[in-house]
Amino acid sequence: MRLTLSIKAILNCFLIVPLTSIAQIQKVSQKLFDTIKLKEHVVTLASDSFQGRKPFTVGETRTVDYLVNQLTEIGVEPANNKSYLQPVTIVQTNYVSRTIDVQSRSGSLILENPKDYAIWTHNEDTMALLKNIPVVFVGYGLVAPEYKRNDYANVNVRGKIVLLLVNEEDQAGSFLQKGKPLTRYEQTEYKIAEAARQGALAFFLIFGRNSLPFPFEMLQEHSSGETIHRDRAEPAIGGGISREAFHKLLKASDMDSNIYMNASYSDFKPIELSLNFSTSIIAKSKYKTSSNVFGKITGSKYPDDVIVYSAHWDHLGIGKPDEKGDSIYNGANDNALGVAVILELARAFKNLKIKPARTIVFVFFTCEETRTPGSIWYVQHPVSSLKKTVANLNIDGFNRFGRTKDIVIHGTGNSTLEDDITVEVKKQGRYVSPDDPKDGFYFRSDQIRFANAGVPALFFSRGTDYINGGVAYEKTVKEKYWGYHTPNDQFNEGWRFDGTVEDMELLFNVGLRLANNRVWPQWKPQSQFRSIR
Ligand SMILES: [Zn+2]
């Protein structure tokens, strides 16, 4: 009886019956969310027939059709007049050849593509040529007055090429914040835009094997063959080089390879290398259209106030085969599961007896795996103005290993949305684990586009303290079931949805609370995003 009442209470708007026992919540979540549907979505979206859901392939057509059918069936309204699609214009560049020639005092130095470097352009010309351009190492390429930091001080890089380190961490974590979380200055986009503001003709990011946001190997793979991008404020030519290649350049300039070490110190000074680069790129670019897919439930009282739930639908497609010869990157966790979760959250909201007071948008972004042009586009063309956008709740991967005692929120300490979800977590008798301040995950998926635009954004992640197996089980998970960005990210019958629905309930309740309130989530005083709102 009590259980029935609880479900009714949930369906009727507010979760007012305190839920204390985990067993009880378990049952409630499973009633609220259909685990069979969740599984169906994942199995379909991550099947070989969807070919890894790569934009501009048959995988996109199948995925987008599936999402439109599901949103129609669930019965939420199209968010773009009569359409569930938001067309996103993207530039796709295919390369014929790309080379860098390095001239040092002692002659020319051979760098090999793709072993030593990756290079790309967003010029739509078929040729991008630079001849004998001086090169400056600008450390981490930061201009951050609040941290009294200017890596471009006393140097003019106008008309030159800059080399800069990715990220902003050393062994101790963020050096800007002395071991505390990474700052928004660690974003590659920020660094590239800064290089453009400084007038650089081209930039090369220096990657290590373990560097964030990803290792050099991944950059090589992602930029081979084609690149996908949007017009933005950045130098026409960009690229990355490996640490090993950077060492070669330093050696050729008679410099100590330890100048890295100094780059994190505030008294770091940019260094002009005694060499020149010439680049040649032959490429064909064209404008193409991909799609974000979105539906909405219009708010009954405050239709202009919008809460955005999101997950990206795209993945890596067909690529380098693994040792078993599998070349389809199914992306079952990344992010078929996230998509499944948002679809079923949409259904739960649609099933509410009383419509939410504010509008709720459910959006599936394109091209997250290629520098997030889908969410950049959405933020530039939102359903309601960003001032009226209450919050973004984004997921990228989700729990599939069973129930956990905890959950992790990335980018801790940024917004009051974390307090909202903490209340819900406690109601479930669970706890919030701190994220690793060094992980930087907050900067790595679509939520960052909302945060950069000032909209409070929550990036929710699974817990690691399992009811069966505790934190030790996380190790097994990582060793046995991890397939991040490999063909091994596949659905298997070992997946468990009991933890999935329990976590979904948290997201549901946070959204519901925001939707039936006129509260505006805030950036916390210490948050670096506060000044933007
Ligand atoms: Zn992802």
Side-chain angles (χ1 to χ4, degrees), residues 31 66 69 96 146 198 218 223 225 263 280 291 319 323 430 441 470 481-482 496 527:
K31 291 275 183 185
Y66 182 82
N69 288 337
V96 180
E146 69 271 46
Q198 300 284 340
M218 201 175 275
S223 68
S280 158
S291 295
E323 63 284 358
R430 302 165 73 197
F441 288 152
Y481 308 114
W482 214 238
R496 302 184 46 166
S527 171

CSV table of all heavy atoms in Angstrom, one decimal, residues 31 66 69 96 146 198 218 223 225 263 280 291 319 323 430 441 470 481-482 496 527:
chain,number,residue,atom,x,y,z
A,31,LYS,N,9.6,0.7,-11.1
A,31,LYS,CA,8.3,1.0,-11.6
A,31,LYS,C,8.3,2.2,-12.5
A,31,LYS,O,7.6,2.3,-13.5
A,31,LYS,CB,7.3,1.2,-10.4
A,31,LYS,CG,7.0,-0.1,-9.7
A,31,LYS,CD,5.9,-0.8,-10.3
A,31,LYS,CE,5.6,-2.0,-9.4
A,31,LYS,NZ,4.7,-3.0,-9.9
A,66,TYR,N,15.9,6.2,-35.4
A,66,TYR,CA,15.5,5.5,-34.1
A,66,TYR,C,15.0,6.6,-33.1
A,66,TYR,O,14.0,6.4,-32.4
A,66,TYR,CB,16.6,4.7,-33.6
A,66,TYR,CG,16.3,3.9,-32.4
A,66,TYR,CD1,15.6,2.7,-32.5
A,66,TYR,CD2,16.6,4.3,-31.1
A,66,TYR,CE1,15.3,1.9,-31.4
A,66,TYR,CE2,16.3,3.6,-30.0
A,66,TYR,CZ,15.6,2.4,-30.1
A,66,TYR,OH,15.3,1.7,-29.0
A,69,ASN,N,11.7,8.1,-33.9
A,69,ASN,CA,10.6,7.2,-33.7
A,69,ASN,C,10.3,7.0,-32.2
A,69,ASN,O,9.2,7.0,-31.8
A,69,ASN,CB,10.9,5.8,-34.2
A,69,ASN,CG,10.9,5.8,-35.8
A,69,ASN,OD1,10.2,6.7,-36.3
A,69,ASN,ND2,11.6,4.9,-36.4
A,96,VAL,N,44.3,15.3,-48.6
A,96,VAL,CA,45.0,14.6,-49.7
A,96,VAL,C,46.5,14.4,-49.2
A,96,VAL,O,47.0,13.4,-49.2
A,96,VAL,CB,45.0,15.4,-51.0
A,96,VAL,CG1,45.8,14.7,-52.1
A,96,VAL,CG2,43.6,15.6,-51.4
A,146,GLU,N,43.3,36.6,-13.2
A,146,GLU,CA,43.0,36.3,-11.8
A,146,GLU,C,44.0,35.4,-11.1
A,146,GLU,O,44.1,35.3,-9.9
A,146,GLU,CB,41.6,35.8,-11.7
A,146,GLU,CG,41.3,34.4,-12.2
A,146,GLU,CD,40.9,34.4,-13.7
A,146,GLU,OE1,41.6,35.1,-14.5
A,146,GLU,OE2,40.0,33.7,-14.1
A,198,GLN,N,46.1,36.3,-29.9
A,198,GLN,CA,47.5,36.9,-29.9
A,198,GLN,C,48.0,37.0,-31.3
A,198,GLN,O,49.1,37.5,-31.5
A,198,GLN,CB,48.4,35.9,-29.1
A,198,GLN,CG,48.0,35.7,-27.7
A,198,GLN,CD,48.3,36.9,-26.8
A,198,GLN,OE1,49.2,37.7,-27.1
A,198,GLN,NE2,47.7,37.1,-25.7
A,218,MET,N,45.5,9.2,-29.6
A,218,MET,CA,44.1,9.4,-30.0
A,218,MET,C,43.9,10.6,-30.9
A,218,MET,O,43.1,10.5,-31.8
A,218,MET,CB,43.3,9.6,-28.7
A,218,MET,CG,41.8,9.3,-28.9
A,218,MET,SD,40.9,9.5,-27.3
A,218,MET,CE,41.2,7.9,-26.6
A,223,SER,N,42.3,12.6,-36.1
A,223,SER,CA,42.5,13.6,-37.2
A,223,SER,C,43.0,12.9,-38.5
A,223,SER,O,43.3,13.6,-39.4
A,223,SER,CB,43.5,14.7,-36.7
A,223,SER,OG,44.7,14.1,-36.6
A,225,GLY,N,42.6,11.2,-41.9
A,225,GLY,CA,41.5,11.1,-42.9
A,225,GLY,C,40.6,12.3,-43.0
A,225,GLY,O,40.6,12.9,-44.0
A,263,ALA,N,57.5,25.4,-17.3
A,263,ALA,CA,56.4,26.1,-17.9
A,263,ALA,C,55.2,26.2,-16.9
A,263,ALA,O,54.4,27.1,-17.1
A,263,ALA,CB,55.9,25.3,-19.1
A,280,SER,N,52.4,22.4,-45.5
A,280,SER,CA,51.6,22.3,-46.7
A,280,SER,C,50.5,21.3,-46.5
A,280,SER,O,50.7,20.2,-46.0
A,280,SER,CB,52.6,21.8,-47.8
A,280,SER,OG,51.8,21.2,-48.8
A,291,SER,N,22.6,16.4,-37.3
A,291,SER,CA,21.4,16.8,-36.5
A,291,SER,C,21.6,16.5,-35.1
A,291,SER,O,22.0,15.4,-34.7
A,291,SER,CB,20.2,16.1,-37.0
A,291,SER,OG,19.9,16.4,-38.3
A,319,GLY,N,36.6,1.8,-37.3
A,319,GLY,CA,37.9,2.2,-37.3
A,319,GLY,C,38.9,1.1,-37.2
A,319,GLY,O,38.7,0.0,-37.7
A,323,GLU,N,42.6,-6.5,-31.5
A,323,GLU,CA,43.3,-7.8,-31.8
A,323,GLU,C,42.4,-8.9,-32.2
A,323,GLU,O,42.9,-9.9,-32.8
A,323,GLU,CB,44.2,-8.1,-30.5
A,323,GLU,CG,43.5,-8.4,-29.2
A,323,GLU,CD,43.0,-7.2,-28.5
A,323,GLU,OE1,43.2,-6.1,-29.0
A,323,GLU,OE2,42.4,-7.4,-27.5
A,430,ARG,N,22.2,7.1,0.3
A,430,ARG,CA,23.5,6.9,-0.3
A,430,ARG,C,24.4,8.1,-0.1
A,430,ARG,O,23.9,9.1,0.6
A,430,ARG,CB,23.3,6.7,-1.8
A,430,ARG,CG,22.4,5.5,-2.1
A,430,ARG,CD,22.0,5.5,-3.6
A,430,ARG,NE,23.0,5.2,-4.5
A,430,ARG,CZ,23.0,5.4,-5.8
A,430,ARG,NH1,21.9,6.0,-6.3
A,430,ARG,NH2,23.9,5.0,-6.6
A,441,PHE,N,37.0,15.8,-16.1
A,441,PHE,CA,35.9,15.3,-16.9
A,441,PHE,C,34.9,16.4,-17.2
A,441,PHE,O,34.2,16.3,-18.2
A,441,PHE,CB,35.3,14.1,-16.2
A,441,PHE,CG,36.1,12.8,-16.2
A,441,PHE,CD1,36.0,11.9,-15.3
A,441,PHE,CD2,37.0,12.6,-17.3
A,441,PHE,CE1,36.7,10.7,-15.3
A,441,PHE,CE2,37.8,11.4,-17.3
A,441,PHE,CZ,37.6,10.5,-16.3
A,470,GLY,N,31.8,-3.5,-2.9
A,470,GLY,CA,32.5,-2.3,-2.5
A,470,GLY,C,33.4,-1.7,-3.5
A,470,GLY,O,33.2,-1.9,-4.7
A,481,TYR,N,35.9,-5.0,-17.7
A,481,TYR,CA,34.8,-4.6,-18.6
A,481,TYR,C,35.0,-3.3,-19.3
A,481,TYR,O,34.1,-2.8,-19.9
A,481,TYR,CB,33.5,-4.5,-17.7
A,481,TYR,CG,33.2,-5.8,-17.0
A,481,TYR,CD1,33.2,-5.8,-15.6
A,481,TYR,CD2,32.9,-7.0,-17.6
A,481,TYR,CE1,33.0,-7.0,-14.9
A,481,TYR,CE2,32.7,-8.1,-16.9
A,481,TYR,CZ,32.7,-8.1,-15.5
A,481,TYR,OH,32.5,-9.3,-14.9
A,482,TRP,N,36.2,-2.7,-19.1
A,482,TRP,CA,36.4,-1.4,-19.6
A,482,TRP,C,36.6,-1.5,-21.1
A,482,TRP,O,37.4,-2.3,-21.6
A,482,TRP,CB,37.6,-0.8,-18.9
A,482,TRP,CG,37.4,0.7,-18.8
A,482,TRP,CD1,38.2,1.7,-19.3
A,482,TRP,CD2,36.3,1.4,-18.2
A,482,TRP,NE1,37.7,2.9,-19.0
A,482,TRP,CE2,36.5,2.7,-18.3
A,482,TRP,CE3,35.1,0.9,-17.5
A,482,TRP,CZ2,35.6,3.7,-17.8
A,482,TRP,CZ3,34.3,1.9,-17.0
A,482,TRP,CH2,34.5,3.2,-17.1
A,496,ARG,N,23.8,-4.9,-15.7
A,496,ARG,CA,22.7,-4.8,-14.7
A,496,ARG,C,22.1,-3.5,-14.7
A,496,ARG,O,22.8,-2.5,-14.7
A,496,ARG,CB,23.3,-5.1,-13.4
A,496,ARG,CG,24.0,-6.5,-13.3
A,496,ARG,CD,24.5,-6.7,-11.9
A,496,ARG,NE,23.4,-6.4,-10.9
A,496,ARG,CZ,23.4,-6.8,-9.7
A,496,ARG,NH1,24.4,-7.5,-9.2
A,496,ARG,NH2,22.4,-6.5,-8.9
A,527,SER,N,33.1,29.5,-8.0
A,527,SER,CA,33.2,28.9,-9.3
A,527,SER,C,33.7,29.9,-10.4
A,527,SER,O,33.4,31.0,-10.4
A,527,SER,CB,31.8,28.5,-9.8
A,527,SER,OG,31.8,28.1,-11.1
